[in-house]
Amino acid sequence: MISKEEITKIAGLAMLELSENEKAEYSSQLSSLLGYFNEIQDLDLAGVEPTNHALVADNVLREDTAVPSLGQNVVVAGAPATDGKSYRVPAIIETEEQP
Amino acid sequence: MSENYIKYANYKEMPAHFKPAHEIRKMIDAKEISEAELMESAVRRSKETNGLLNAFLSINGGAEGFSGVKNSFWAGIPVALKDNIVTKGIKTTAGSKILENYTPIYDATVVQKLKNAGAPIVGKTNMDEFAMGSSTENSAFGVTKNPWDITRVPGGSSGGSAVAVASGLAYMALGSDTGGSIRQPAALCGVCGMKPTYGRVSRYGLIAFASSLDQIGPFTRDALDMAYALDVICGHDPKDSTSSAAPAESFSDFVKKGMDMNGVKIGIPDEYFGDGIEQGVAERVKEAINQFEKMGAKIVSVKLPHTKYAIPVYYLIATAEASSNLSRFDGVKYGFRAAEFKNLKDMYMKTRDEGFGAEVKRRIILGTYALSSGYYDAYYKTAQKARTKIKEDFQAAFSRADLILSPVTPATAFKIGEKTADPLTMYMSDIFTISANLASIPALSIPCGLSGGMPVGLQLSGNYFQEGKMLAAAYEFQKRTDHHLCVAAV
Amino acid sequence: MKYEAVIGLEVHVQLSTNTKIFCSCSTRYSGNEPNTSVCEVCSGQPGVLPVLNAEVLKRAVKTGLALNCSIAKRTKFDRKNYFYPDLPKGYQVSQFDMPICANGYIIVNDGLAEGKKDKKIGITRIHMEEDAGKNVHGSDGKSSFVDYNRAGVPLLEIVSEPDIRTSSEAKEYLEKLKTILKYIDVSDCNMEDGSLRCDANVSVRPAGETKLGTKVEIKNMNSFRGVQKAIDYEIERQIKVCESGSKITQETRLYDEAKAVTLTMRKKEEAFDYRYFPEPDLPPYDIAPKDIDAINSALPELPDAKFARYINEMQLSVYDASLLSNNPSLAAFFDECAAGYKNYKAITNWLLGDISKKMNELGIEDIFSSRIRPENLLEMLVLIDNGTISGKIAKTVVDEIFASGEKSSKIIEKLGLVQISDDGFILKIINEVVAENPKSISDYISGKEAAVGFLVGQIMKKTRGKANPKLVNEMLITELAKLKNA
Ligand SMILES: [Mg+2]
Ligand SMILES: [Zn+2]
């Protein structure tokens, strides 16, 4: 069972502002989903390696050779707010937000 | 009342827009049709039908796309792209409000390959937001309709691409398949769709849903076109560390050579033929099995004992990866930003709340939960281990069988709105498709008849990098059957 | 009650590779406009994928070996999820449970201050990760501006064991770490420009207690001196809290350089849940023993080994050996000279004396970025040895080498600095000086030996320092003896 409080905490981690209705809805839906998902707890998985990666070849590397970058006007142009050179965001207050 | 479909006796009888690309190629080469006419027709038909079907989120003006490439199968043959494949200078939304005004600054590797091959792009197709859904009802830009019955869903999440090919709006369309998002809409719309082996096609430029499951693949009219499509999009990409260096043979040459089906072992997983399958679907699939047997294939029974865990495993892994992949949509660099906010955190919270739709938020919450401290081991890590068991099931099955045959979906296309209330019911409809993504194996869907006037799909899976064998078998089937000649009356 | 501090350091060093860790953008953007060394990958565009820079993996292994770590047979990347504007993807690609290196150590206090003992500071782990961009605060206080030039620059995070007990030990650890990293040429290691950054975990406990106290993390220190001062302040603050009977709160504090205090940034309850999970876009990396061996055998001689060699094989003093071995470029210069000249003490004296002084004056940190080359110094030393120039003249030669970079012999010729060893000429000058300084002569005769020094000085002055001082001394004493006995 996932409480509304837990949903609020999780939503905070995911940076989602949810309405009270959404919280209630997700709390009940996720509770029933996880109720069903708990089936996997029945599996005997002792000694089983997790599949951390899909079918991949190991050791994929790139040479340390620079190629020209895209340029300021290209990258910053699509942003919702800029000063033409940098992305503009609401003031960052370091003591509150820096992780 | 006229039928909702037309069954042609052969490709010759079909109007040009329904013909497979390999027929169109011959016509272009014989100067029976021009590249400009093809594109003009595709764009016109797409515009005419979009009000009804809503297959496209954007349609090319029509003038672009001819690069003068010669000696390429796809040169001049119109194709469509799912709107989560980034196209430089062409708006790419992934079906989300949060990207409603996003114009990419680079091309996906598959787009680069199609451009190099001279294939003009008709437009970008509708999809469930960020590929999260099985019905294309979760698009921020309206539902896509099934051309066989516009009260029904086309499947999803690549619904727009499936409809584009099913309605003769493009000869080939690319989709992405994370848990069945190509094969399921292909089945529900009566066309061919394939999810290649993980890594076979570069993911560079595919807006990520679940990185370890996502794979780009084509929709086509038949298996030979599918081989041609795979020829052009597959191959190692130095920009995608997970892209495979496995050599890619010419799939079209391989398929055209023909395959002797005698003694080819086709595995039937018991677990896929239980209760809950619509009778018409079960019958069509059984008929297909009989057909393969008639062609000389040996039908063997295989076991995939962890099938029942596939849905939880899939939804835990996919949502966990998605919760992280979708963090970049924060209103800072591109796309939508909420109009009003008090401070930085408020800007993030409101942008993401307003920018994402309900299903996306539901999955972000679920995935964040599965990764959060205290639950990681019980959910995410357990799911990763169970995924290993599912992979092992398939390796065991492929030691007994060359190919695995199953239904694609338990039922034909459902009514629009029918499953939106309960996410679990919706998730359950992916039961036959998600295992291939978890196991990283290739799987394709081809039409195998109708049930209640709606198309039924047949799924063929193979072991890693066995696309050639799968396509050849599918083409042998199509040479002897006419299900693929049956098209929606659009 | 007596208290003891327990300190662990987390150091982030930028690797000085040509390109970023996961894309081919250049890392040489210093001084450029914001967002110019940026592409779709490092700006976090939808659909992009990372590809690891081979040089990053190599330098991580190199660093691990130099810091006595064991190198993982297999390593992988993980995502660390959090939202911050300088983080383009909303997660940092880092390493969680399979870091590239673990279980190393650094030895500090190695003899520089006489009487102190060597101490091993453990290194828990080293991992690879990507740097974030830079937030610049707007002048209006309402906006901040984000620059992704730094986003994706490769970092090594080097985490020490809580083996450090004092702020000066912390400084020694950082200095030693910096020296080693400079030796192996993986990073510029400049705290002022941010290529080396340090966070400290500090706790206190009653002396003799073995259990750890509650730790506080300190961030935002911008120099080694700042690290020292922040730790000192924090230790004192924590002791005061303990003595007042209160409990230390587990928290993160920011160091305020101007006020030299630490201030609460975030309490434990607000700790982040980073939701680490394996990065699905990057495959794992297997590190073959033969690759480790190859990197290991290409490692340069490291400071501890150099120090020992200077003492044991070259008979340098502990102090000189320490100064030289802790300065990678000076040590390299010394080694080059020592290969062709056996009076190691003479080389050391010049390097640590006049040459270091000259470099300080000119603000040169790396001797190889000055004009002096080992062959210049060697030639000069030989010229002193064979009497062509005096040690005093040599100082002028050094100045001139720094100015022009010319060969010592050429400088001597150009400036007419060749030592005068002509008896007749020197005698003539001696006679002049004797005649001009009757007071000194009578002082000498009455037994004031010090007058000799003055007279030598006068002679050298007359010859503008070019007279062979040894000869001057000998001849003057002979002449004075004659006068005394007359
Ligand atoms: Mg770090
Ligand atoms: Zn870049």
Side-chain angles (χ1 to χ4, degrees):
Chain A
M1 188 63 208
I2 307 178
S3 65
K4 263 174 76 175
E5 288 66 42
E6 252 177 310
I7 292 286
T8 308
K9 197 184 122 216
I10 295 294
L13 284 174
M15 287 289 176
L16 286 169
E17 184 181 87
L18 300 180
S19 67
E20 287 306 306
N21 280 343
E22 281 176 312
K23 284 178 195 169
E25 188 189 323
Y26 291 155
S27 153
S28 94
Q29 285 174 339
L30 262 55
S31 295
S32 76
L33 278 175
L34 286 168
Y36 165 53
F37 291 178
N38 273 330
E39 260 186 19
I40 61 169
Q41 314 299 343
D42 306 343
L43 278 165
D44 178 11
L45 296 168
V48 177
E49 279 296 307
T51 299
N52 286 331
H53 299 89
L55 189 68
V56 293
D58 292 354
N59 299 5
V60 178
L61 293 162
R62 166 179 71 72
E63 291 299 312
D64 185 26
T65 312
V67 304
S69 294
L70 282 179
Q72 201 179 44
N73 49 343
V74 177
V75 179
V76 179
T82 75
D83 63 354
K85 295 176 172 183
S86 298
Y87 302 95
R88 194 169 80 224
V89 296
I92 298 164
I93 299 144
E94 270 181 25
T95 48
E96 287 172 6
E97 284 138 358
Q98 190 178 18
Chain B
M1 195 194 114
S2 67
E3 288 281 14
N4 62 328
Y5 61 87
I6 310 162
K7 191 158 191 173
Y8 294 98
N10 52 48
Y11 287 145
K12 283 227 143 36
E13 275 186 22
M14 281 180 166
H17 57 261
F18 277 138
K19 285 187 202 289
H22 56 83
E23 289 290 317
I24 294 297
R25 178 79 261 149
K26 283 185 219 154
M27 290 173 69
I28 300 173
D29 292 348
K31 305 234 169 350
E32 291 165 28
I33 198 163
S34 76
E35 298 181 350
E37 277 174 80
L38 281 169
M39 186 61 170
E40 184 279 321
S41 156
V43 167
R44 180 178 41 77
R45 284 179 50 78
S46 297
K47 285 180 177 164
E48 281 169 7
T49 54
N50 218 40
L52 183 71
L53 299 173
N54 199 28
F56 285 93
L57 294 178
S58 61
I59 297 171
N60 192 323
E64 292 169 60
F66 302 106
S67 50
V69 173
K70 299 276 176 243
N71 303 321
S72 153
F73 178 87
W74 290 101
I77 300 182
V79 300
L81 299 171
K82 188 175 180 178
D83 207 28
N84 59 353
I85 297 171
V86 306
T87 40
K88 187 175 176 177
I90 300 173
K91 208 172 67 155
T92 300
T93 67
S96 182
K97 181 182 171 186
I98 211 158
L99 285 177
E100 68 185 349
N101 52 17
Y102 175 60
T103 304
I105 57 176
Y106 75 105
D107 270 328
T109 296
V110 289
V111 173
Q112 199 56 61
K113 283 173 180 279
L114 286 173
K115 284 184 176 175
N116 292 345
I121 295 161
V122 183
K124 305 293 294 287
T125 61
N126 199 7
M127 56 183 285
D128 285 304
E129 184 179 3
F130 287 107
M132 295 179 180
S134 311
S135 64
T136 317
E137 292 169 289
N138 296 333
S139 168
F141 310 106
V143 181
T144 296
K145 314 281 172 51
N146 191 314
W148 294 72
D149 175 354
I150 57 164
T151 67
R152 291 176 190 272
V153 302
S157 63
S158 315
S161 284
V163 172
V165 172
S167 310
L169 312 176
Y171 293 92
M172 188 264 276
L174 292 185
S176 66
D177 189 315
T178 306
S181 282
I182 291 173
R183 290 159 289 154
Q184 185 253 21
L188 302 191
C189 293
V191 293
C192 302
M194 176 183 240
K195 179 204 97 74
T197 311
Y198 184 86
R200 188 60 116 167
V201 180
S202 169
R203 291 186 294 119
Y204 194 76
L206 171 66
I207 299 179
F209 162 13
S211 311
S212 76
L213 303 163
D214 292 344
Q215 184 59 202
I216 290 176
F219 290 88
T220 56
R221 172 72 50 216
D222 70 11
L224 181 56
D225 274 7
M226 184 68 70
Y228 279 112
L230 206 53
D231 280 346
V232 68
I233 61 169
C234 79
H236 175 67
D237 181 8
K239 289 177 177 170
D240 176 357
S241 303
T242 66
S243 115
S244 169
E249 67 252 61
S250 165
F251 297 104
S252 52
D253 286 349
F254 186 79
V255 167
K256 279 187 287 187
K257 261 194 330 224
M259 182 159 95
D260 181 2
M261 292 301 291
N262 265 311
V264 172
K265 282 180 279 178
I266 294 185
I268 310 294
D270 301 342
E271 293 81 1
Y272 284 37
F273 289 86
D275 298 335
I277 301 184
E278 192 179 296
Q279 199 194 339
V281 171
E283 283 168 10
R284 295 300 90 74
V285 175
K286 292 225 167 85
E287 287 159 17
I289 295 172
N290 293 339
Q291 175 62 39
F292 274 110
E293 203 164 18
K294 230 164 68 190
M295 287 154 59
K298 190 160 177 271
I299 306 299
V300 297
S301 157
V302 293
K303 293 227 164 344
L304 298 170
H306 293 89
T307 298
K308 72 172 219 171
Y309 301 104
I311 286 181
V313 169
Y314 172 80
Y315 277 94
L316 288 167
I317 292 172
T319 58
E321 291 181 7
S323 72
S324 174
N325 284 331
L326 269 56
S327 293
R328 72 188 63 198
F329 305 104
D330 61 1
V332 174
K333 297 148 304 232
Y334 35 72
F336 170 81
R337 177 188 280 195
E340 276 170 49
F341 43 82
K342 293 195 288 284
N343 53 39
L344 177 65
K345 192 174 177 196
D346 201 39
M347 188 278 278
Y348 282 150
M349 305 268 284
K350 289 205 162 67
T351 296
R352 290 167 60 81
D353 180 48
E354 295 167 27
F356 290 135
E359 179 62 18
V360 170
K361 283 191 265 186
R362 180 157 41 234
R363 294 200 193 188
I364 291 175
I365 297 278
L366 178 56
T368 304
Y369 183 81
L371 289 176
S372 68
S373 116
Y375 300 101
Y376 179 87
D377 284 343
Y379 290 114
Y380 187 71
K381 199 156 188 192
T382 304
Q384 296 279 58
K385 287 181 178 175
R387 182 175 181 182
T388 305
K389 302 300 280 182
I390 290 168
K391 274 168 71 175
E392 289 169 359
D393 280 359
F394 277 95
Q395 290 314 301
F398 285 121
S399 71
R400 292 176 42 81
D402 300 300
L403 301 169
I404 292 175
L405 189 156
S406 73
V408 181
T409 57
T412 56
F414 48 89
K415 291 273 186 191
I416 291 169
E418 190 183 319
K419 294 191 181 183
T420 42
D422 178 16
L424 187 54
T425 322
M426 186 75 93
Y427 296 174
M428 294 295 270
S429 67
D430 299 335
I431 179 77
F432 300 136
T433 49
I434 50 182
S435 293
N437 301 78
L438 290 168
S440 305
I441 58 167
L444 60 76
S445 167
I446 54 172
C448 66
L450 305 179
S451 167
M454 292 302 287
V456 175
L458 162 75
Q459 179 168 246
L460 280 179
S461 319
N463 208 347
Y464 307 132
F465 305 110
Q466 296 299 304
E467 289 90 347
K469 203 193 280 179
M470 292 157 54
L471 288 167
Y475 198 50
E476 294 306 316
F477 177 83
Q478 290 183 331
K479 280 186 207 164
R480 291 165 180 83
T481 55
D482 57 5
H483 310 300
H484 57 292
L485 299 173
C486 192
V487 300
V490 202
Chain C
M1 204 191 305
K2 246 185 90 65
Y3 286 88
E4 171 189 63
V6 176
I7 302 158
L9 297 180
E10 285 176 23
V11 174
H12 286 88
V13 279
Q14 282 182 349
L15 295 178
S16 52
T17 49
N18 296 325
T19 65
K20 295 186 177 183
I21 182 167
F22 298 126
C23 66
S24 300
C25 287
S26 172
T27 54
R28 317 254 152 80
Y29 52 80
S30 164
N32 293 355
E33 287 269 293
N35 295 300
T36 46
S37 202
V38 169
C39 70
E40 67 263 25
V41 175
C42 56
S43 65
Q45 298 288 318
V48 297
L49 296 169
V51 185
L52 180 62
N53 180 346
E55 187 63 22
V56 172
L57 192 65
K58 196 172 154 196
R59 289 188 186 204
V61 171
K62 199 172 171 187
T63 305
L65 292 170
L67 300 180
N68 310 297
C69 293
S70 47
I71 309 298
K73 284 197 177 67
R74 190 172 170 80
T75 192
K76 71 169 166 72
F77 285 93
D78 300 272
R79 290 189 187 174
K80 179 180 182 180
N81 295 285
Y82 64 93
F83 287 85
Y84 205 55
D86 64 11
L87 197 64
K89 301 183 294 294
Y91 57 83
Q92 180 193 33
V93 179
S94 181
Q95 297 197 278
F96 185 56
D97 59 343
M98 289 168 69
I100 178 97
C101 316
N103 297 323
Y105 62 86
I106 285 180
I107 292 170
V108 297
N109 291 353
D110 41 340
L112 182 56
E114 308 274 351
K116 273 205 207 167
K117 284 219 184 74
D118 285 358
K119 180 171 173 180
K120 235 185 210 187
I121 308 289
I123 288 171
T124 316
R125 56 182 280 154
I126 303 175
H127 69 249
M128 301 174 277
E129 60 185 26
E130 55 183 341
D131 208 343
K134 215 168 185 156
N135 300 321
V136 178
H137 307 295
S139 48
D140 62 353
K142 287 193 196 120
S143 300
S144 294
F145 295 89
V146 191
D147 171 11
Y148 289 143
N149 279 346
R150 199 179 68 180
V153 168
L155 292 178
L156 291 183
E157 181 173 329
I158 303 169
V159 183
S160 88
E161 289 286 308
D163 290 343
I164 299 164
R165 291 291 169 271
T166 64
S167 69
S168 58
E169 244 173 52
K171 185 162 165 269
E172 280 162 22
Y173 169 87
L174 289 173
E175 274 168 354
K176 187 62 172 283
L177 177 64
K178 177 173 169 170
T179 305
I180 294 171
L181 297 179
K182 292 199 84 134
Y183 261 105
I184 60 173
D185 198 23
V186 295
S187 168
D188 299 334
C189 286
N190 192 333
M191 222 170 156
E192 280 70 32
D193 71 18
S195 59
L196 188 152
R197 307 194 283 273
C198 176
D199 300 337
N201 290 310
V202 179
S203 64
V204 297
R205 63 186 174 193
E209 172 66 66
T210 51
K211 261 192 6 225
L212 289 172
T214 305
K215 77 170 180 193
V216 168
E217 189 183 5
I218 314 169
K219 288 178 174 286
N220 200 37
M221 296 164 293
N222 300 316
S223 63
F224 287 2
R225 180 104 192 89
V227 172
Q228 225 179 336
K229 285 167 80 177
I231 291 173
D232 281 337
Y233 175 87
E234 184 58 23
I235 293 172
E236 209 175 304
R237 185 190 72 83
Q238 290 189 20
I239 292 173
K240 270 192 206 141
V241 172
C242 292
E243 281 178 338
S244 75
S246 307
K247 280 210 156 57
I248 305 287
T249 318
Q250 184 167 349
E251 61 181 340
T252 302
R253 296 175 74 87
L254 282 184
Y255 179 59
D256 182 328
E257 178 128 36
K259 299 195 186 102
V261 297
T262 64
L263 300 167
T264 295
M265 177 174 124
R266 182 170 64 231
K267 302 256 188 248
K268 169 85 192 313
E269 308 83 74
E270 306 153 28
F272 282 83
D273 180 351
Y274 290 119
R275 292 157 284 134
Y276 281 99
F277 74 103
E279 165 59 283
D281 289 332
L282 287 167
Y285 298 86
D286 291 316
I287 302 164
K290 71 167 175 39
D291 293 338
I292 298 176
D293 290 348
I295 295 172
N296 204 11
S297 55
L299 276 184
E301 185 182 36
L302 294 172
D304 290 346
K306 249 191 214 308
F307 175 78
R309 181 165 61 85
Y310 289 166
I311 300 236
N312 300 329
E313 293 174 26
M314 301 179 122
Q315 281 78 43
L316 299 189
S317 72
V318 165
Y319 184 79
D320 288 353
S322 176
L323 279 185
L324 277 182
S325 63
N326 283 326
N327 186 326
S329 58
L330 218 50
F333 196 98
F334 171 82
D335 286 341
E336 270 191 60
C337 293
Y341 187 78
K342 296 298 156 218
N343 187 349
Y344 309 129
K345 180 70 188 153
I347 308 172
T348 310
N349 287 347
W350 280 101
L351 280 178
L352 298 178
D354 285 82
I355 292 175
S356 289
K357 214 169 93 195
K358 189 77 196 170
M359 283 166 56
N360 272 338
E361 273 169 36
L362 299 172
I364 296 169
E365 273 193 34
D366 179 347
I367 189 164
F368 286 104
S369 60
S370 80
R371 291 193 143 141
I372 192 164
R373 290 290 168 272
E375 54 271 25
N376 296 133
L377 181 59
L378 279 189
E379 193 191 15
M380 192 185 87
L381 291 170
V382 172
L383 290 167
I384 297 171
D385 289 349
N386 68 21
T388 310
I389 54 169
S390 65
K392 183 135 183 271
I393 292 283
K395 289 171 190 278
T396 313
V397 174
V398 166
D399 286 350
E400 188 54 28
I401 294 174
F402 270 92
S404 68
E406 281 172 336
K407 286 175 70 176
S408 300
S409 52
K410 188 141 178 253
I411 291 170
I412 291 165
E413 200 189 305
K414 190 175 75 178
L415 302 183
L417 296 175
V418 177
Q419 185 161 268
I420 301 162
S421 301
D422 175 340
D423 298 19
F425 181 75
I426 292 176
L427 189 60
K428 194 182 132 237
I429 305 288
I430 290 175
N431 289 333
E432 279 175 34
V433 169
V434 167
E436 287 161 15
N437 295 282
K439 174 88 172 64
S440 298
I441 304 300
S442 58
D443 282 354
Y444 175 80
I445 292 172
S446 64
K448 288 185 184 157
E449 296 277 325
V452 177
F454 173 76
L455 291 168
V456 168
Q458 293 303 303
I459 295 162
M460 294 309 285
K461 205 168 148 191
K462 271 189 180 275
T463 61
R464 283 184 289 134
K466 289 190 282 183
N468 182 335
K470 210 170 139 230
L471 208 56
V472 167
N473 245 308
E474 283 168 18
M475 289 177 70
L476 178 64
I477 293 198
T478 313
E479 291 307 307
L480 288 175
K482 281 187 202 159
L483 289 171
K484 199 172 181 178
N485 300 332

